[in-house]
Amino acid sequence: MEEKFQLMYGNTNKVLKINAKIGDKYTVEAGAMVSMSDVFDIKAKTGGLGKTLGRLFSGESMFIQHFTAKADGELLLAPQFLGDIEIIEMDGSKTYRLGKSSFLASTSEIEVRTKSGGLNGMLSGEGLIQMEAMGQGTLFISSYGAIHKKTLYDGETYIVDSNHLVLWDSNLRYTTELATGFFGSIAGGEGLVCKFQGPGEIWLQTRNPANIMQSQSK
């Protein structure tokens, strides 16, 4: 029997194949569609002015697309960067914050909304407004490079460069600090790290997207 969701082509060039059944609905990041069967009804939405402004502050795309299958067919999705894709089954017991450009898609049962990142989010470069996923369903996240999952025990502290954040438990406490010995400027968000305190889980990407932006600007 064909699997509902398939990850194809290795860790550095992964493509998500969704084998949709009639009536299935998916929320997809704009520009992620590679190809599809001619069975989908597609609607583009900004999610309202508040969500649009939130995505601007968080560095995310302003638009998402809703795919509804009118018959059985396939949908192929690929992320912005060369890297990994992770399938996360959510049972409703947790909510997650998403890093910049890490949202790829979700089933319709997952609500993806904007949430205040506070001063920590603004200083860390993750944005004054962040994306949050909640509900029961399937969430698809993507990364630049491989995805590394770190589980923190109660009271454990762990330091992460914010450019490497993909996903983390919404209830994880963290502070934004200037890391001694790191080159960069506070205004540019460089040299700043996030210090998390467990318990909770963090998904990290092994490559830094900011390096691409810097090379393109030279």
Side-chain angles (χ1 to χ4, degrees), residues 63-189:
F63 297 98
I64 56 176
Q65 296 172 314
H66 296 281
F67 288 73
T68 303
K70 298 178 290 183
D72 294 359
E74 67 176 41
L75 174 62
L76 266 62
L77 305 176
Q80 177 182 359
F81 299 109
L82 293 176
D84 208 352
I85 298 174
E86 186 85 11
I87 300 174
I88 298 177
E89 297 295 341
M90 296 180 60
D91 60 7
S93 63
K94 292 183 179 180
T95 61
Y96 294 108
R97 297 285 178 98
L98 293 99
K100 290 181 179 180
S101 303
S102 63
F103 174 76
L104 180 63
S106 67
T107 56
S108 59
E109 301 88 357
I110 299 296
E111 179 185 357
V112 180
R113 62 184 186 182
T114 54
K115 190 79 173 178
S116 173
L119 184 60
N120 280 331
M122 183 174 65
L123 289 175
S124 67
E126 280 303 304
L128 181 62
I129 306 296
Q130 297 171 349
M131 295 179 69
E132 186 174 59
M134 61 187 304
Q136 292 180 294
T138 308
L139 174 68
F140 307 95
I141 58 174
S142 63
S143 67
Y144 180 35
I147 292 178
H148 173 69
K149 182 179 177 181
K150 175 69 176 179
T151 301
L152 305 182
Y153 58 80
D154 190 12
E156 180 182 6
T157 58
Y158 196 68
I159 296 173
V160 181
D161 182 319
S162 63
N163 288 318
H164 290 266
L165 285 171
V166 173
L167 192 79
W168 65 97
D169 290 350
S170 293
N171 61 356
L172 263 176
R173 291 176 292 171
Y174 75 95
T175 57
T176 302
E177 302 180 9
L178 181 63
T180 304
F182 279 63
F183 291 100
S185 65
I186 294 179

